[in-house]
Amino acid sequence: MGNILFLIGITLTISPSKTLAFFLRRQKWKGTLAFTLGILLILLRWPLVGFAVELYGLVILFGDFLGTVAGFASNVPVVGPVLARVAGW
């Protein structure tokens, strides 16, 4: 259910046409396929394998964005110092 809500949230945030354009980009096919296969495996009652495949797909799809998230999180008052201490920044 969370997977479906994730897709709906992305669609409502950036519009259906941009969502399709994002997931169907040539560079993102591998991630899209892994994410979709992960959802399918979860629905076919292989939750651990499906979760791992889906997580791999999410990292492939949103890996470029993780640097931006880390930069933002490092500027948050409480979280930033903790991340700096854990990551050794």
Side-chain angles (χ1 to χ4, degrees):
M1 174 112 159
N3 304 326
I4 307 298
L5 292 174
F6 173 73
L7 291 174
I8 290 171
I10 289 176
T11 304
L12 290 174
T13 303
I14 63 173
S15 83
S17 61
K18 288 184 181 179
T19 302
L20 280 175
F22 175 78
F23 282 105
L24 297 179
R25 258 193 271 168
R26 186 177 198 109
Q27 307 93 309
K28 304 290 185 181
W29 284 357
K30 192 175 183 181
T32 301
L33 181 65
F35 183 72
T36 305
L37 182 63
I39 292 174
L40 183 65
L41 286 171
I42 289 172
L43 293 175
L44 293 174
R45 298 179 189 239
W46 285 71
L48 293 176
V49 175
F51 177 72
V53 171
E54 188 176 337
L55 186 62
Y56 172 74
L58 284 174
V59 168
I60 297 285
L61 284 170
F62 298 103
D64 300 339
F65 187 63
L66 292 178
T68 304
V69 171
F72 173 77
S74 67
N75 292 326
V76 174
V78 175
V79 178
V82 173
L83 282 178
R85 190 173 304 159
V86 171
W89 291 339

